[in-house]
Amino acid sequence: MKNVQAFTLEFLKRFQPYKTYWNYEDGCVLKGCIDLYRATREAVYRDFVLNYLNTFVAEDGSIPNYEMRQYNIDSINCGKALYFGLDETGDERYRKAIEFHMQRLREHPRCDCGNFWHKELYPHQIWLDGLYMAQPFYMNYEVRYGGLAHVSDITKQFKNVRKYLFNAEKGLNYHACDLHKVQPWADKTTGCSQNFWLRSTGWYLMALIDCIDLCPEMLYEHKRALIDLFRESIRGVLRYQDEKTGLFYQVIDHGHNPDNYLETSGSSMIAYALFKAVRLDVLNPEKYLPMARKTFDGLVSEKLYQDESGWHLGGICAVAGLGPGEKRDGSVAYYLSEPIVADDSKGVGPFMMAWAESLLAQ
């Protein structure tokens, strides 16, 4: 797919950090590059990651632009690339930076059930997004340095999503849950938000499959629990796959709504999760590999385009969240009101990850 490669290389060439501080959006692009390097062994992807880390991680392992005040679980995501930096260079500053991130997790506020708060601004709330930001980093740390002592903490946080956020009738997880049930967007009985946002489901599926990949076989009960959760979740969302394009809607179960649209970032995440689950023997290849290919081919045909400025990836939801307070009420109308943009890192990173997995599937 020369157009996919052309787009990716153009994106990396014109890349600018998403924010002035250490951020999860850049982490998505770094993960995409790491996956593409492992799939292709092309140095451009390795060099991009190492150049980024060299710029933002100081010689003593500190990260001067890490935002400490927010207790924001999103900030952990970029730290996943530190393992790659350490493995590729042996530079001890990356090992120190990994410990810095782990200390942030140790200090992070938790809900009464044990899950990490999404951030200080969103207390006592579990967001699907947060499982992706923290748990694969946490699992990797436990495997490498933690002696596997806290894997049960990781699996419990996934199980709590099933306990508090899953709708069995729909086969889907709600975007978030306020366990204190005080937020305007939260159901007064369950604490859950109203709807099923595609990208949040994508975050959750990627979190599960990445942790499955990292979890050692000897921890059979934990690995099996994660696999069961993944299979249930992927089968649920596949019920809503668009038959024509293979893509998925911004509000997953409202495909009939004329204002709804087939969204790129979440569809890319599902493609990545499908491809990787087949590669790891979590899903049957005869059944699920064609679904993965259909989704990725749909992304290429429907969302990748070229204009006078070059190649672009469109159809990406710019941002979506819940609260604080009366803001962002979680209604269908809200999710469909957020801007739709092109070349956003939250879509491009997962698209790169999906492409890397598609190459490994060939």
Side-chain angles (χ1 to χ4, degrees):
M1 290 186 174
K2 293 183 179 180
N3 52 347
V4 177
Q5 183 178 40
F7 160 71
T8 302
L9 294 177
E10 285 183 22
F11 176 85
L12 295 179
K13 187 175 182 179
R14 62 177 181 255
F15 176 85
Q16 296 291 327
Y18 204 90
K19 295 170 181 170
T20 58
Y21 52 87
W22 192 249
N23 63 88
Y24 80 91
E25 295 91 344
D26 289 358
C28 292
V29 177
L30 296 176
K31 176 62 162 56
C33 285
I34 291 168
D35 287 358
L36 280 171
Y37 177 65
R38 289 172 174 162
T40 68
R41 309 310 292 181
E42 293 179 12
V44 62
Y45 304 117
R46 174 184 182 272
D47 293 347
F48 180 90
V49 177
L50 296 183
N51 288 339
Y52 184 98
L53 295 177
N54 188 56
T55 299
F56 289 100
V57 182
E59 289 295 330
D60 63 356
S62 64
I63 300 168
N65 67 339
Y66 191 101
E67 175 52 68
M68 296 283 288
R69 296 168 295 178
Q70 299 180 16
Y71 284 103
N72 187 349
I73 204 71
D74 290 343
S75 299
I76 300 298
N77 187 50
C78 212
K80 297 172 187 175
L82 295 166
Y83 296 106
F84 178 80
L86 180 62
D87 291 343
E88 289 296 315
T89 69
D91 193 331
E92 189 63 18
R93 64 171 153 166
Y94 299 133
R95 176 71 179 89
K96 294 175 182 176
I98 289 168
E99 285 296 336
F100 172 83
H101 280 73
M102 193 60 217
Q103 188 60 28
R104 302 287 73 73
L105 277 186
R106 294 186 184 107
E107 297 172 357
H108 199 88
R110 292 184 183 240
C111 303
D112 294 339
C113 67
N115 281 57
F116 297 124
W117 287 9
H118 194 60
K119 65 171 85 171
E120 190 172 38
L121 186 63
Y122 306 126
H124 311 290
Q125 297 172 32
I126 304 171
W127 291 30
L128 295 181
D129 318 33
L131 277 294
Y132 179 73
M133 303 304 164
Q135 302 304 329
F137 174 90
Y138 192 1
M139 182 70 83
N140 209 348
Y141 185 90
E142 284 302 306
V143 170
R144 290 174 179 241
Y145 310 119
L148 306 175
H150 300 97
V151 172
S152 59
D153 181 26
I154 297 168
T155 53
K156 181 182 178 181
Q157 294 195 45
F158 281 108
K159 289 177 180 178
N160 280 338
V161 169
R162 176 63 171 79
K163 179 178 180 179
Y164 294 107
L165 283 79
F166 187 67
N167 181 308
E169 180 183 355
K170 295 282 188 178
L172 299 169
N173 289 293
Y174 292 103
H175 183 178
C177 181
D178 168 24
L179 294 174
H180 282 197
K181 305 171 186 176
V182 298
Q183 293 299 316
W185 53 260
D187 182 276
K188 299 309 176 189
T189 301
T190 66
C192 290
S193 54
Q194 301 175 48
N195 286 291
F196 309 102
W197 178 41
L198 180 63
R199 187 153 73 224
S200 68
T201 291
W203 290 131
Y204 182 63
L205 288 168
M206 292 202 303
L208 279 167
I209 201 61
D210 286 354
C211 283
I212 290 166
D213 187 19
L214 292 163
C215 187
E217 291 291 342
M218 63 181 173
L219 298 182
Y220 174 81
E221 291 185 5
H222 293 289
K223 191 159 189 145
R224 184 71 208 189
L226 295 174
I227 289 172
D228 288 345
L229 290 170
F230 178 85
R231 287 174 174 167
E232 180 179 61
S233 294
I234 196 70
R235 288 166 181 160
V237 75
L238 285 171
R239 290 161 51 183
Y240 305 93
Q241 186 176 30
D242 180 59
E243 186 174 346
K244 179 181 178 181
T245 65
L247 304 182
F248 297 84
Y249 283 93
Q250 163 77 344
V251 183
I252 299 172
D253 61 331
H254 282 256
H256 58 279
N257 187 321
D259 295 326
N260 208 351
Y261 63 97
L262 297 166
E263 199 274 332
T264 299
S265 67
S267 295
S268 297
M269 293 171 178
I270 292 170
Y272 166 79
L274 282 168
F275 277 125
K276 189 167 183 177
V278 167
R279 178 168 64 83
L280 298 178
D281 295 323
V282 172
L283 294 178
N284 181 288
E286 291 184 7
K287 180 177 181 179
Y288 290 99
L289 187 56
M291 294 182 180
R293 293 197 188 283
K294 185 174 183 178
T295 302
F296 187 71
D297 290 347
L299 288 162
V300 175
S301 63
E302 300 292 325
K303 302 299 184 179
L304 198 63
Y305 65 93
Q306 188 178 30
D307 61 19
E308 62 279 0
S309 65
W311 285 98
H312 303 281
L313 185 68
I316 304 169
C317 172
V319 66
L322 295 159
E326 300 291 341
K327 300 177 182 178
R328 307 191 297 181
D329 64 1
S331 64
V332 172
Y334 160 68
Y335 285 113
L336 301 183
S337 72
E338 291 287 9
I340 304 169
V341 298
D343 302 340
D344 188 286
S345 296
K346 297 184 292 295
V348 176
F351 180 77
M352 294 164 66
M353 298 178 212
W355 180 36
E357 287 295 335
S358 76
L359 294 174
L360 292 173
Q362 292 179 0

